[in-house]
Amino acid sequence: MTDTHLERQARLRRRLEGAGVDVAVVPPSGDLVYLAGLHVHLSERLALLVLPVAGEPVMVLPAFEASRVPEGLRTLPWHEDEDPLPRLLEALPAGARAIAFGERVAASELLGVATARPEAELSALERVTGGVRAVKDERELAALRAAAEATDRAFHAFVRESLEGASERELAARLASALRAEGLDDTFTTVASGPNAAFPHHLPGERVVRRGDGVLLDFGGRKDGYLSDVSRTLSVGEPSVRLREVHAAVASAQAAALAALRPGVRLGDVDAVARGSLASAGFAEAFTRRLGHGLGLEIHEPPYLRGGNDQLAEPGHVVTVEPGVYLLGELGVRIEDDVVVTDAGCESLTRAPRELQVVS
Ligand code: ZN
Ligand code: ZN
């Protein structure tokens, strides 16, 4: 493990201690990469980092994976012909009462601990910490910025070519290759044209893009471990009055949310600002999703911009701000930027133009 990992562990320990937690149990996830530099697939095989507030961290994992554990991290390997649960119980400090579990810990593992330690108080690590990785350091911000800039360049390259006459599937492949050409890995591309854009998670299909269509793009990829996640809605040829109207309403909602996002504001209130803006334009019912999500080593991670979230924005939070209007059978518009909370407000890492772009 590097000094960075040890510093992150120390920071997490302090937060756990402040919350009265004795030990954290971390499954394969961005948290494991963040805290220990260890990439392990999440699967049915038990693999957990046990990080006590006082004492040495221990990685419990399949014996055949043990060679991948970075130097300096103690392991408790288990073999395929044995029950791994006793290894996990051995890794938990004997006196630990309050145990916080990462959100992808398997129910069988959680139940195993709850049964073996009936006196233990179990909690959710994300609840206790507000997200282990929610506040990004300078190095992480540089990687997120680089990912956002590469994604902007890929977008500009993509819109230079005509969309008309190509299928969604072809356009998704074209956008993915533009992202890869900019050095992004793990790329993802959604292309939803015309009425298909009303489905926020539409899978690109055989529909051919025609003049007059709105086309919703949602795309991004990974650079130096960190992700981008951007949406833009284009008009192929002159936009209809309706597309123009909806796009303007979504753009206003996003601008209002960006103006509201600053340190100390409740994240739920930022969602409410965007919701209020769309409601005043008559689209309350059509904004069916949360406003945004944290972004970093994983595409969706804390903190979340959703109604009812009392967590406060902090400098170094990186979130998407992605209001949308989804009108079934008609059209859909989403504008999504990657945004960092600064000392004074927020700054968008995404620079691609937000206004309705007319393309051929
Ligand atoms: Zn997205
Ligand atoms: Zn997103």
Side-chain angles (χ1 to χ4, degrees):
M1 290 184 292
T2 64
D3 286 348
T4 304
H5 298 129
L6 296 174
E7 276 163 35
R8 289 169 176 173
Q9 290 176 19
R11 212 164 44 234
L12 176 58
R13 279 197 178 96
R14 285 195 293 275
R15 282 155 72 192
L16 293 173
E17 198 169 16
V21 169
D22 299 317
V23 58
V25 178
V26 181
S29 58
D31 285 350
L32 187 58
V33 176
Y34 180 81
L35 292 167
L38 180 56
H39 295 262
V40 180
H41 270 294
L42 181 69
S43 77
E44 77 290 356
R45 290 186 170 99
L46 186 149
L48 295 166
L49 175 70
V50 175
L51 181 77
V53 164
E56 203 188 350
V58 185
M59 187 70 209
V60 185
L61 80 174
F64 70 87
E65 300 266 45
S67 62
R68 304 174 56 200
V69 173
E71 213 173 310
L73 179 57
R74 192 159 78 87
T75 59
L76 270 178
W78 57 272
H79 293 273
E80 296 272 71
D81 55 0
E82 66 176 326
D83 178 4
L85 191 66
R87 290 270 171 268
L88 172 59
L89 297 172
E90 189 184 334
L92 290 169
R97 264 188 86 88
I99 308 173
F101 289 86
E103 68 183 359
R104 285 175 208 152
V105 171
S108 57
E109 297 160 2
L110 186 69
L111 289 169
V113 173
T115 306
R117 299 275 187 97
E119 76 292 351
E121 294 161 32
L122 312 182
S123 61
L125 185 59
E126 280 72 18
R127 282 280 173 83
V128 169
T129 59
V132 169
R133 319 186 302 278
V135 173
K136 270 65 181 177
D137 65 27
E138 285 305 319
R139 204 187 321 177
E140 294 183 285
L141 290 176
L144 283 156
R145 198 177 286 278
E149 286 170 359
T151 304
D152 279 346
R153 289 194 296 272
F155 173 74
H156 288 300
F158 175 80
V159 294
R160 272 199 290 273
E161 251 185 277
S162 172
L163 276 64
E164 193 182 348
S167 71
E168 292 173 347
R169 209 192 291 271
E170 287 163 350
L171 293 173
R174 201 190 285 174
L175 183 51
S177 75
L179 290 161
R180 282 194 298 271
E182 290 297 339
L184 292 155
D185 299 317
D186 292 349
T187 59
F188 60 91
T189 51
T190 289
V191 176
S193 64
N196 289 343
F199 302 105
H201 286 166
H202 174 70
L203 289 176
E206 296 309 323
R207 188 180 184 281
V208 172
V209 169
R210 295 187 295 259
R211 183 158 287 267
D213 278 347
V215 177
L216 198 166
L217 310 172
D218 191 337
F219 53 102
R222 196 183 289 279
K223 196 145 189 147
D224 298 330
Y226 285 79
L227 286 156
S228 62
D229 180 11
V230 172
S231 299
R232 289 292 183 267
T233 306
L234 309 171
S235 177
V236 180
E238 274 311 299
S240 66
V241 171
R242 182 69 160 162
L243 179 58
R244 216 181 261 289
E245 175 201 16
V246 172
H247 195 281
V250 174
S252 298
Q254 196 200 34
L258 292 172
L261 181 57
R262 72 179 84 86
V265 70
R266 276 178 72 253
L267 295 173
D269 289 345
V270 182
D271 178 278
V273 164
R275 219 158 284 283
S277 172
L278 282 169
S280 70
F283 296 116
E285 304 292 307
F287 181 21
T288 49
R289 312 206 308 162
R290 66 187 175 206
L291 178 62
H293 52 84
L295 179 71
L297 289 169
E298 293 182 44
I299 190 79
H300 294 166
E301 59 181 47
Y304 294 97
L305 280 79
R306 56 166 181 78
N309 187 358
D310 290 327
Q311 192 176 351
L312 303 181
E314 289 179 55
H317 277 167
V318 173
V319 292
T320 65
V321 176
E322 49 176 306
V325 163
Y326 308 100
L327 299 168
L328 277 184
E330 201 183 345
L331 55 80
V333 171
R334 179 164 65 251
I335 310 174
E336 176 179 24
D337 280 40
D338 303 338
V339 175
V340 56
V341 179
T342 61
D343 290 331
C346 68
E347 179 202 345
S348 183
L349 303 176
T350 304
R351 296 289 165 86
R354 296 191 189 118
E355 53 273 15
L356 181 58
Q357 274 201 69
V358 177
V359 297
S360 61

